[in-house]
């Protein structure tokens, strides 16, 4: 009601100001008429015209006064009568926003045109919708901070030892020490900060985006006292679109990562599941890496694109010849481990190339999404003894579907089939091994890897969402014989080292993945089932949202080789409880 009174007073002030602005105009118009009469230099026609103008101005003043009186009378009625249901202010239990409600404007007459203030929609990525209250403008660009604050409690039935993100391929076996201990931790590391910038330049719609979380490198004693979590870059890209063409450069989600809508790089348009696990879901194909991307929009429902992305030839935990350890990435990035390659020094031969096409038809009011993607990747190694290079071309194919079966119920199926594409399955499979051909020359040999994710997301109402997924990975075995270990002859001096050469014996030395006697870290398959609930307590475009997220996951991994007396697989249960406040 106070807002209504303020608006009445505002209209009264506007009326007085308008009336005051007319008085100078009247005096400036009437002065020459007085001079004409005083000097007898005018004509009767001019005097008549001036009188007509004065009369019209008086009518406008009367109309403004009438409008003010009507508003004052309406104010008196509102005080003494109940407000219509459409204008009733809801209780604080029904709405999070405390912005006062504005009564409907009275109908404008033909002589009084209401003054409307239209917000600027220049460079507005929402297409003219209300800006975030955190947005601000510098020069010709709009800046919008974003992100969320997470407080996560998680626990596991065995000690994976990887923090808030699960090392799916290293779940411990039950007969080990780690498999006999559970783990529990509180963390804010999944909290996220972002900044979006939009502008236009010579007909191009420009958008820049930067995003970071707190899962960067941490010192060994991080959880002892200070819990000083390190900021980590996630995304940093610039996108430019003009007409049907769009270009992106920077670090973004790989084009191989499934989308929810088109080929958009915006995080809400990408499917990386609703999982609280910061390594997401087993079977999901994804990467965040530097790239150049060209997108073509032939129509509103079809999008096609190609991306040239940062490569990394990964042999992972496959066994490689000691002389060629530095010719790939073992996945650890450790430079202190004698059997580890240093990530920045990996000698990649060419960038990865990914092509993708997406269809987004509307079936009634429901949005459906279909996409197909292809990967081309290259690997090269050098045999220092034979002084020869060897190259292998690998690749993969993805088919992804996100169907809205009924309103707010989405069925999701993502599939990936590859030879040499294991890096895109969260590095759970090596891209290649190093084998020897019949001439004894080392060469790369691709590893076959498949993955899939199937599930559903159901937004029951504006407050509650259920989600559930099953994901799986299959990794093919691929190995060869590096040499044969010759037995040490009887009576040899102490300290004699066994000779490894090409002469066959009963004890071959294998290289590759999944060979007889290999480590139980060389997995054949990994599967995970996940179910979660997202409960939104309140949500407002002005104040953001507050959510409680609960999730349970069950993981199972089976290696190619199990030692005698060991369990045939490893499994664990995981639970997450997260309180999240998202910025508006």
């Amino acid at each position: 009601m106070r807002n209504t009174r303020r608006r009445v007073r505002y209209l009264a002030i506007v009326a007085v100001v308008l009336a005051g602005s007319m008085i100078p105009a009247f005096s400036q118009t009437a002065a020459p008429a007085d001079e004409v009469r005083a000097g007898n230099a005018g004509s009767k026609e001019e005097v008549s015209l001036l009188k007509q103008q004065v009369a019209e101005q008086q009518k406008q003043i009367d109309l403004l006064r009438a409008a003010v009186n009507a508003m004052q009378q309406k104010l008196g009625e509102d005080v003494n009568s109940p407000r219509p249901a459409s204008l009733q202010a809801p209780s604080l239990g029904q709405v999070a926003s405390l912005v006062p409600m504005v009564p409907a404007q009275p109908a404008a007459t033909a002589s009084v045109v209401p003054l409307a203030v239209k917000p600027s929609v220049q460079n507005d990525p929402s297409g003219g919708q209300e800006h975030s209250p955190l947005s601000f403008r510098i020069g010709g660009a709009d800046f919008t901070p974003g992100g969320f604050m997470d407080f996560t409690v998680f626990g596991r039935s065995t000690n994976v030892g990887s923090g808030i993100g699960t090392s799916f391929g290293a779940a411990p076996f039950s007969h080990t020490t780690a498999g006999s201990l559970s783990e529990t931790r509180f963390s804010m590391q999944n909290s996220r900060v972002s900044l979006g910038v939009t502008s236009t330049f010579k007909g191009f719609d420009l958008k820049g985006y930067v995003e970071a979380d707190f899962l960067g490198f941490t010192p060994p004693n991080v959880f002892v006292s200070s819990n000083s979590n390190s900021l980590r870059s996630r995304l940093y890209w610039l996108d430019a679109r003009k007409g049907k063409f769009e270009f992106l450069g920077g670090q973004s989600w790989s084009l191989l990562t499934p989308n929810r809508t088109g080929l958009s790089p915006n995080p809400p348009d990408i499917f990386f599941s609703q999982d609280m696990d910061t390594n997401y879901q087993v079977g999901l194909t994804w990467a965040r890496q530097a790239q150049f991307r060209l997108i073509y929009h032939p129509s509103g429902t079809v999008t096609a694109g190609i991306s040239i992305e940062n490569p990394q030839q990964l042999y992972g935990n496959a066994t490689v010849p000691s002389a060629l350890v530095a010719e790939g990435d073992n996945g650890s990035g450790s430079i202190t481990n004698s059997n580890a390659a240093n990530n920045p020094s990996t000698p990649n031969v060419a960038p990865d190339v990914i092509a993708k096409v997406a269809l987004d038809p509307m079936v009634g009011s429901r949005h459906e999404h279909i996409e197909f993607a292809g990967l081309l990747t290259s690997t090269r190694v050098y045999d220092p003894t034979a002084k020869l290079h060897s190259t292998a071309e690998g690749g993969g194919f993805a088919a992804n579907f996100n169907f809205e079966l009924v309103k707010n119920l989405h069925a999701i199926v993502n599939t990936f089939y590859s030879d040499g594409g294991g890096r895109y399955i969260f590095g759970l499979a090596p891209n290649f091994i190093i084998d020897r051909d019949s001439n004894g020359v080392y060469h790369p040999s691709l590893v076959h890897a498949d993955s899939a994710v199937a599930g559903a997301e159901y937004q029951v109402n504006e407050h509650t969402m259920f989600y559930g997924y099953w994901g799986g990975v299959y990794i093919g075995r691929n190995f060869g014989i590096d040499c044969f270990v010759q037995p040490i002859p009887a009576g040899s001096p102490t300290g004699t080292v066994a000779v490894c050469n090409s002469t066959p014996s009963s004890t071959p030395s294998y290289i590759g993945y999944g060979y007889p006697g290999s480590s139980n870290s060389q997995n054949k398959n990994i599967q995970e089932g996940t179910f979660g609930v997202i409960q939104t307590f309140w949500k407002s475009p002005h104040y953001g949202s507050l959510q409680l997220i609960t999730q349970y996951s069950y993981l199972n991994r089976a290696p190619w080789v199990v030692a005698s007396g060991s369990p045939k697989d490893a499994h664990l249960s995981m639970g997450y409880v997260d309180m999240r406040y998202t910025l508006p």
Side-chain angles (χ1 to χ4, degrees), residues 417-456:
Y417 177 94
S418 79
D419 284 317
R423 177 171 76 91
Y424 288 93
I425 315 175
F426 188 53
L428 293 175
N431 285 3
F432 70 103
I433 67 161
I434 299 177
D435 197 2
R436 269 186 159 173
D437 61 20
S438 58
N439 296 319
V441 178
Y442 289 119
H443 65 93
S445 180
L446 303 175
V447 175
H448 178 77
D450 304 330
S451 72
V453 173

Side-chain angles (χ1 to χ4, degrees), residues 22 154 179 195 235 388 422 447 484 519-520 578:
M22 296 174 184
F154 65 93
L195 179 66
L235 305 173
L388 292 174
V447 175
F484 294 90
S519 166
N520 62 17
D578 179 82

Side-chain angles (χ1 to χ4, degrees), residues 189-271:
Q189 291 176 294
N190 194 42
S191 300
R192 203 163 298 169
V193 291
S194 66
L195 179 66
V197 185
T198 57
S199 186
T200 58
F201 179 74
K202 294 185 178 181
F204 284 90
D205 293 322
L206 305 177
K207 181 172 182 179
Y209 186 77
V210 58
E211 182 180 275
D213 60 21
F214 297 87
L215 286 157
F217 175 81
T218 54
N221 64 342
V222 63
F223 296 123
V224 175
S225 299
S226 65
N227 282 252
S228 301
N229 301 300
S230 302
L231 194 67
R232 178 184 72 163
S233 64
R234 288 171 58 89
L235 305 173
Y236 191 101
W237 50 259
L238 174 66
D239 182 89
R241 179 172 178 176
K242 185 175 183 180
K244 295 183 178 182
F245 289 93
E246 181 179 358
F247 174 81
L248 179 143
Q251 177 162 306
S252 180
W253 290 91
S254 169
L255 192 60
L256 198 61
T257 308
N259 273 83
R260 295 180 183 270
T261 300
L263 303 183
S264 168
N266 297 316
D269 297 329
I270 296 170
F271 176 81

